[in-house]
Amino acid sequence: MPIILPEEPTPIAKVPSTENKTGGWRTFRPIIDYEKCIRCYICWKFCPDTAIDFAAPEKHPAPKDALKRFDTVEINYDYCKGCGICANECPANAIELVLEQNVGGEEE
Amino acid sequence: MRKLTIPEEEYMLPGHTACLGCGATIAMRYVLKALGKKTILSIPACCWAVIPGVYPHRALDVPLLYTAFEVTGASISGIREALDVLGKEDVNVVGFAGDGGTADIGLQALSAAMERRHNVFYIMYDNEAYMNTGIQRSGSTPWGAWTTTTPGGKKRMFKHEPKKNVAEIMVAHNIPYVATATIAYPEDLIAKLRRAKEIKGPKFIQIFSPCPTGWRHSPDKTVEISRLAVQTNFFPLYEVINGKYKVSIKPKNPKPVKEFLKLQGRFRHLTEEEVEYIQHEIDENWKALLKKERCSQEE
């Protein structure tokens, strides 16, 4: 009996997990208060979901003029699971956790 | 412009299926940041076997090979030797296993791989129980911890055996590099991996990774608990290069271990005397570690 090999002998996972929008898991939504954010990137450093992106410096207000040359951060709500590590670690207390149902129909 | 203390390149994609506030995911993120694109991972049955998602999904931008629970050491040995034959000596081969797959089930393959002196990394992310299958006790579970197989309750059946010290077992193999690290100190973790990268031979790194699901703590406390583990000397950070100990972080005024324990539901049943016993053990272990450092530094 001839041995039939599958077309692709080694199964290779080709679909990136970015297809999987884990934002729906969230109970609490972290919201950054840009008036307090000191752009230290500690939230980016500890995020287990790599859901914190950099954005252009002028995109958000800064508490001090000296900070305006640094990039700012944004939370990617498509993937943020709402664990709250960013809010707990933020040295400026600039991130607040808000119950998702209280957020209302604001920006998504 | 941005000032970052760890590399910016990201090899872990969002959308993976880890629990909220998973420590093992943060560990993987730092490991890949430190080692870069030229890395091949081998992962046995553990949390990381399910985190990338079901086939055909992938959460990592590096090649990943799944293996059986007990053969991570054998699998990385094979990959390494095959790459050497192909002349690809600049590729990092990494075994990334949980504490069950390292301390209990995979110990023989790991020991053999280390003894054969393959040029590989073995990373144990230590979440102190078999978390993936439902929080069963492992050799790496600390004394006093609740798990589903060591329930607390009226009969006080929490774990009554101390934690297996895998890093010391690796030191006993006389390998060139052994280190412990934790996710609350990413700069230290990445510096250790980079130092290890320069060394040819087997490298073992144990990364303390809190697990909100299994340790019964709030997911936002993952990094805080990891930091407290170092500040209370519950999990000291050190490295052993060619038999010479070097303690990475020496807390000036170590915090009482109670601060670390009280954040976690798995230690909730402990009485004052039991907490004192844990404190005593930690103090003894810390003294022994400092003694080892002193003895190995002086010739």
Side-chain angles (χ1 to χ4, degrees):
Chain A
M1 214 178 129
I3 300 165
I4 303 163
L5 287 171
E7 275 177 31
E8 204 177 59
T10 324
I12 297 170
K14 285 181 183 150
V15 183
S17 62
T18 43
E19 299 265 304
N20 186 17
K21 300 271 197 285
T22 47
W25 298 20
R26 200 165 54 239
T27 307
F28 291 99
R29 174 183 290 225
I31 294 174
I32 302 178
D33 180 356
Y34 289 101
E35 296 294 336
K36 287 186 191 167
C37 172
I38 55 167
R39 308 191 180 184
C40 62
Y41 312 120
I42 283 179
C43 51
W44 168 82
K45 193 161 80 173
F46 289 121
C47 182
D49 289 289
T50 57
I52 292 179
D53 301 329
F54 297 112
E58 59 280 358
K59 211 173 163 194
H60 295 289
K64 272 190 237 155
D65 282 344
L67 293 169
K68 279 189 180 155
R69 61 204 177 97
F70 294 108
D71 286 345
T72 180
V73 286
E74 276 179 358
I75 296 169
N76 187 339
Y77 293 116
D78 280 350
Y79 302 109
C80 169
K81 291 172 188 161
C83 65
I85 291 179
C86 51
N88 196 48
E89 294 302 316
C90 181
N93 284 326
I95 304 178
E96 198 191 350
L97 290 176
V98 181
L99 199 61
E100 195 68 26
Q101 67 207 51
N102 298 342
V103 172
E106 284 171 64
E107 36 145 10
E108 174 61 282
Chain B
M1 194 178 96
R2 49 189 91 135
K3 274 186 194 162
L4 303 175
T5 51
I6 59 171
E8 196 186 328
E9 300 83 43
E10 209 69 72
Y11 300 100
M12 194 181 81
L13 306 172
H16 56 68
T17 58
C19 308
L20 318 190
C22 174
T25 322
I26 308 179
M28 175 65 98
R29 189 172 165 225
Y30 296 153
V31 167
L32 293 182
K33 273 178 187 294
L35 297 179
K37 187 110 186 128
K38 282 200 164 185
T39 301
I40 295 182
L41 285 167
S42 178
I43 295 180
C46 62
C47 284
W48 254 102
V50 290
I51 292 173
V54 285
Y55 179 79
H57 288 87
R58 62 177 169 85
L60 300 172
D61 273 344
V62 296
L64 190 163
L65 179 81
Y66 287 125
T67 60
F69 219 147
E70 58 281 72
V71 296
T72 320
S75 133
I76 52 176
S77 311
I79 298 171
R80 177 78 266 165
E81 294 311 301
L83 286 172
D84 285 355
V85 169
L86 293 171
K88 294 178 179 173
E89 284 176 15
D90 57 337
V91 179
N92 306 306
V93 179
V94 181
F96 198 86
D99 56 290
T102 305
D104 306 342
I105 299 176
L107 191 60
Q108 36 73 30
L110 167 64
S111 173
M114 296 289 140
E115 187 268 331
R116 288 191 301 261
R117 291 291 187 274
H118 296 288
N119 183 22
V120 292
F121 291 85
Y122 192 103
I123 289 161
M124 162 192 187
Y125 65 94
D126 189 2
N127 47 28
E128 305 200 316
Y130 291 85
M131 295 308 180
N132 179 31
T133 48
I135 324 166
Q136 289 87 4
R137 134 205 218 285
S138 81
S140 196
T141 308
W143 190 95
W146 163 94
T147 63
T148 50
T149 45
T150 53
K154 276 183 190 154
K155 292 186 179 167
R156 312 206 51 75
M157 283 162 71
F158 56 81
K159 192 176 171 187
H160 281 84
E161 298 80 27
K163 180 181 168 106
K164 191 192 279 188
N165 195 334
V166 187
E168 286 301 317
I169 299 177
M170 290 299 119
V171 173
H173 283 67
N174 288 324
I175 59 174
Y177 193 83
V178 178
T180 61
T182 186
I183 55 161
Y185 297 91
E187 293 84 6
D188 170 76
L189 197 161
I190 289 172
K192 279 173 176 162
L193 276 155
R194 288 209 170 133
R195 256 198 298 286
K197 213 172 153 182
E198 302 301 314
I199 296 169
K200 206 167 186 290
K203 280 102 39 181
F204 178 87
I205 294 151
Q206 180 175 359
I207 304 179
F208 187 78
S209 322
C211 168
T213 311
W215 296 11
R216 297 288 190 250
H217 65 76
S218 156
D220 61 337
K221 299 279 184 241
T222 302
V223 176
E224 193 179 326
I225 286 177
S226 162
R227 191 177 298 119
L228 278 172
V230 177
Q231 290 172 345
T232 58
N233 291 335
F234 183 87
F235 188 84
L237 301 188
Y238 61 96
E239 55 188 346
V240 188
I241 307 173
N242 293 318
K244 284 204 183 345
Y245 282 77
K246 187 175 178 295
V247 180
S248 318
I249 294 174
K250 288 180 188 167
K252 271 193 187 127
N253 300 307
K255 290 186 177 166
V257 74
K258 205 175 171 188
E259 287 189 29
F260 168 76
L261 303 177
K262 75 178 179 199
L263 286 174
Q264 301 167 51
R266 63 173 177 158
F267 292 116
R268 198 170 48 190
H269 51 266
L270 295 181
T271 60
E272 287 290 322
E273 293 82 59
E274 282 156 357
V275 171
E276 238 158 69
Y277 170 75
I278 295 178
Q279 182 69 57
H280 174 257
E281 291 294 297
I282 287 171
D283 292 344
E284 291 298 309
N285 290 343
W286 177 246
K287 263 187 241 161
L289 179 66
L290 290 182
K291 205 179 270 177
K292 274 183 217 160
E293 189 192 24
R294 253 193 335 270
C295 295
S296 68
Q297 293 295 343
E298 57 192 44
E299 284 298 327

